[in-house]
Short mmCIF file of all heavy atoms in Angstrom, two decimals:
data_model
loop_
_atom_site.label_atom_id
_atom_site.label_comp_id
_atom_site.label_asym_id
_atom_site.label_seq_id
_atom_site.Cartn_x
_atom_site.Cartn_y
_atom_site.Cartn_z
N ASN A 1 102.45 96.98 83.98
CA ASN A 1 102.70 97.45 85.26
C ASN A 1 103.95 96.99 86.01
O ASN A 1 104.60 97.75 86.61
CB ASN A 1 101.35 97.17 86.17
CG ASN A 1 100.20 97.93 85.75
OD1 ASN A 1 100.23 99.01 85.26
ND2 ASN A 1 99.02 97.40 85.99
N LEU A 2 104.13 95.70 85.79
CA LEU A 2 105.49 95.12 86.34
C LEU A 2 106.64 95.78 85.66
O LEU A 2 107.60 96.11 86.42
CB LEU A 2 105.37 93.69 86.09
CG LEU A 2 104.42 92.84 87.09
CD1 LEU A 2 104.39 91.36 86.57
CD2 LEU A 2 104.97 92.91 88.46
N GLN A 3 106.69 96.02 84.33
CA GLN A 3 107.75 96.53 83.74
C GLN A 3 108.01 97.96 84.20
O GLN A 3 109.14 98.42 84.44
CB GLN A 3 107.39 96.70 82.16
CG GLN A 3 108.71 97.28 81.41
CD GLN A 3 108.48 97.34 79.90
OE1 GLN A 3 107.44 96.68 79.52
NE2 GLN A 3 109.28 97.95 79.16
N THR A 4 106.88 98.73 84.52
CA THR A 4 107.06 100.09 85.13
C THR A 4 107.78 99.96 86.47
O THR A 4 108.70 100.78 86.75
CB THR A 4 105.72 100.80 85.26
OG1 THR A 4 105.19 100.99 83.96
CG2 THR A 4 105.90 102.07 86.10
N LEU A 5 107.40 99.20 87.23
CA LEU A 5 107.91 98.96 88.67
C LEU A 5 109.44 98.53 88.54
O LEU A 5 110.29 98.93 89.37
CB LEU A 5 107.05 98.07 89.45
CG LEU A 5 105.76 98.51 89.82
CD1 LEU A 5 104.81 97.48 90.43
CD2 LEU A 5 105.76 99.63 90.86
N VAL A 6 109.66 97.60 87.70
CA VAL A 6 111.07 97.12 87.52
C VAL A 6 111.98 98.31 87.04
O VAL A 6 113.12 98.40 87.51
CB VAL A 6 111.10 96.00 86.60
CG1 VAL A 6 112.61 95.55 86.27
CG2 VAL A 6 110.44 94.67 87.17
N GLU A 7 111.49 99.04 86.10
CA GLU A 7 112.20 100.26 85.63
C GLU A 7 112.55 101.17 86.67
O GLU A 7 113.54 102.01 86.68
CB GLU A 7 111.55 100.92 84.45
CG GLU A 7 111.53 100.05 83.17
CD GLU A 7 110.67 100.66 82.16
OE1 GLU A 7 109.91 101.59 82.39
OE2 GLU A 7 110.69 100.16 80.92
N ARG A 8 111.64 101.23 87.71
CA ARG A 8 111.78 102.10 88.88
C ARG A 8 112.77 101.48 89.96
O ARG A 8 113.17 102.22 90.95
CB ARG A 8 110.55 102.45 89.58
CG ARG A 8 109.61 103.29 88.72
CD ARG A 8 108.33 103.59 89.48
NE ARG A 8 107.33 104.19 88.56
CZ ARG A 8 106.00 104.15 88.78
NH1 ARG A 8 105.53 103.64 89.83
NH2 ARG A 8 105.20 104.73 87.96
N GLY A 9 113.20 100.26 89.82
CA GLY A 9 114.16 99.61 90.68
C GLY A 9 113.58 98.51 91.43
O GLY A 9 114.37 97.89 92.19
N ALA A 10 112.33 98.07 91.35
CA ALA A 10 111.82 97.02 92.14
C ALA A 10 112.32 95.69 91.47
O ALA A 10 112.70 95.60 90.37
CB ALA A 10 110.28 96.97 92.01
N THR A 11 112.42 94.71 92.33
CA THR A 11 112.93 93.32 91.90
C THR A 11 111.65 92.48 91.80
O THR A 11 110.93 92.35 92.72
CB THR A 11 113.81 92.66 92.97
OG1 THR A 11 115.04 93.52 93.15
CG2 THR A 11 114.16 91.28 92.71
N LEU A 12 111.49 91.92 90.60
CA LEU A 12 110.36 90.99 90.31
C LEU A 12 110.90 89.53 90.50
O LEU A 12 111.86 89.12 89.99
CB LEU A 12 110.03 91.15 88.87
CG LEU A 12 109.01 90.20 88.30
CD1 LEU A 12 107.73 90.17 89.11
CD2 LEU A 12 108.76 90.38 86.81
N ILE A 13 110.23 88.80 91.29
CA ILE A 13 110.31 87.49 91.65
C ILE A 13 109.35 86.62 90.66
O ILE A 13 108.11 86.65 90.92
CB ILE A 13 110.18 87.06 93.07
CG1 ILE A 13 111.13 87.88 93.94
CG2 ILE A 13 110.35 85.67 93.36
CD1 ILE A 13 110.75 87.76 95.48
N GLU A 14 109.84 86.11 89.65
CA GLU A 14 108.98 85.42 88.74
C GLU A 14 108.17 84.41 89.28
O GLU A 14 108.73 83.51 90.09
CB GLU A 14 109.69 84.89 87.44
CG GLU A 14 110.50 85.96 86.65
CD GLU A 14 109.46 86.62 85.60
OE1 GLU A 14 108.25 86.24 85.64
OE2 GLU A 14 109.88 87.49 84.90
N PRO A 15 106.90 84.33 89.04
CA PRO A 15 106.00 83.19 89.49
C PRO A 15 106.35 81.92 88.98
O PRO A 15 106.93 81.83 87.77
CB PRO A 15 104.58 83.72 89.28
CG PRO A 15 104.74 84.55 88.06
CD PRO A 15 106.05 85.19 88.19
N ASP A 16 105.93 80.82 89.55
CA ASP A 16 106.03 79.51 89.03
C ASP A 16 105.02 79.05 88.15
O ASP A 16 103.83 79.75 88.27
CB ASP A 16 106.20 78.43 90.17
CG ASP A 16 107.56 78.55 91.01
OD1 ASP A 16 108.43 79.25 90.49
OD2 ASP A 16 107.57 78.08 92.13
N GLU A 17 105.16 78.07 87.42
CA GLU A 17 104.13 77.57 86.60
C GLU A 17 103.42 76.33 87.38
O GLU A 17 104.19 75.59 88.13
CB GLU A 17 104.60 77.07 85.25
CG GLU A 17 104.93 78.25 84.32
CD GLU A 17 105.20 77.69 82.87
OE1 GLU A 17 104.59 76.65 82.64
OE2 GLU A 17 105.89 78.42 82.09
N GLY A 18 102.19 76.04 87.18
CA GLY A 18 101.52 74.96 87.79
C GLY A 18 99.96 75.09 87.71
O GLY A 18 99.39 75.87 87.07
N ARG A 19 99.42 74.33 88.60
CA ARG A 19 97.81 74.39 88.70
C ARG A 19 97.39 75.39 89.72
O ARG A 19 97.93 75.55 90.78
CB ARG A 19 97.46 72.91 89.23
CG ARG A 19 95.92 72.81 89.19
CD ARG A 19 95.53 71.40 89.83
NE ARG A 19 94.07 71.31 89.96
CZ ARG A 19 93.28 71.73 90.88
NH1 ARG A 19 93.90 72.40 91.88
NH2 ARG A 19 92.02 71.55 90.90
N PHE A 20 96.31 76.11 89.26
CA PHE A 20 95.75 77.15 90.19
C PHE A 20 94.58 76.52 90.99
O PHE A 20 94.02 75.53 90.65
CB PHE A 20 95.26 78.28 89.43
CG PHE A 20 96.35 79.00 88.51
CD1 PHE A 20 96.20 79.11 87.24
CD2 PHE A 20 97.51 79.35 89.09
CE1 PHE A 20 97.15 79.76 86.41
CE2 PHE A 20 98.54 80.00 88.32
CZ PHE A 20 98.46 80.13 86.97
N ALA A 21 94.10 77.42 91.96
CA ALA A 21 92.94 76.99 92.77
C ALA A 21 91.75 76.73 91.87
O ALA A 21 90.80 75.93 92.14
CB ALA A 21 92.60 78.01 93.82
N SER A 22 91.66 77.45 90.68
CA SER A 22 90.55 77.34 89.76
C SER A 22 90.56 76.06 89.00
O SER A 22 89.50 75.62 88.40
CB SER A 22 90.51 78.49 88.81
OG SER A 22 91.72 78.47 87.99
N GLY A 23 91.67 75.44 88.95
CA GLY A 23 91.68 74.20 88.25
C GLY A 23 92.53 74.49 86.94
O GLY A 23 93.00 73.54 86.24
N LEU A 24 92.70 75.69 86.58
CA LEU A 24 93.51 76.02 85.37
C LEU A 24 94.92 75.94 85.66
O LEU A 24 95.34 75.71 86.79
CB LEU A 24 93.20 77.54 84.97
CG LEU A 24 91.66 77.83 84.53
CD1 LEU A 24 91.57 79.29 84.35
CD2 LEU A 24 91.28 77.12 83.37
N GLY A 25 95.68 75.97 84.67
CA GLY A 25 97.14 75.85 84.80
C GLY A 25 97.82 76.97 84.10
O GLY A 25 97.35 77.59 83.14
N GLY A 26 99.13 77.26 84.48
CA GLY A 26 99.77 78.41 83.72
C GLY A 26 100.82 79.02 84.72
O GLY A 26 101.24 78.44 85.76
N ARG A 27 101.20 80.31 84.39
CA ARG A 27 102.21 80.92 85.10
C ARG A 27 101.45 81.92 86.05
O ARG A 27 100.75 82.69 85.78
CB ARG A 27 103.20 81.60 84.21
CG ARG A 27 104.49 82.30 84.88
CD ARG A 27 105.44 82.54 83.71
NE ARG A 27 104.95 83.55 82.79
CZ ARG A 27 105.62 84.53 82.26
NH1 ARG A 27 106.84 84.74 82.77
NH2 ARG A 27 105.14 85.40 81.29
#
């Protein structure tokens, strides 16, 4: 979905990595 939007001209601001509210970690 993000690739589709970028191909249409949207700018993607990449998320940071870290700890989530669930306690999991990742991007």
Side-chain angles (χ1 to χ4, degrees):
N1 289 332
L2 287 169
Q3 182 177 352
T4 295
L5 291 167
V6 170
E7 288 172 351
R8 292 178 189 159
T11 297
L12 170 62
I13 303 173
E14 291 282 357
D16 292 340
E17 292 193 18
R19 181 183 179 278
F20 302 126
S22 65
L24 299 174
R27 197 163 51 137

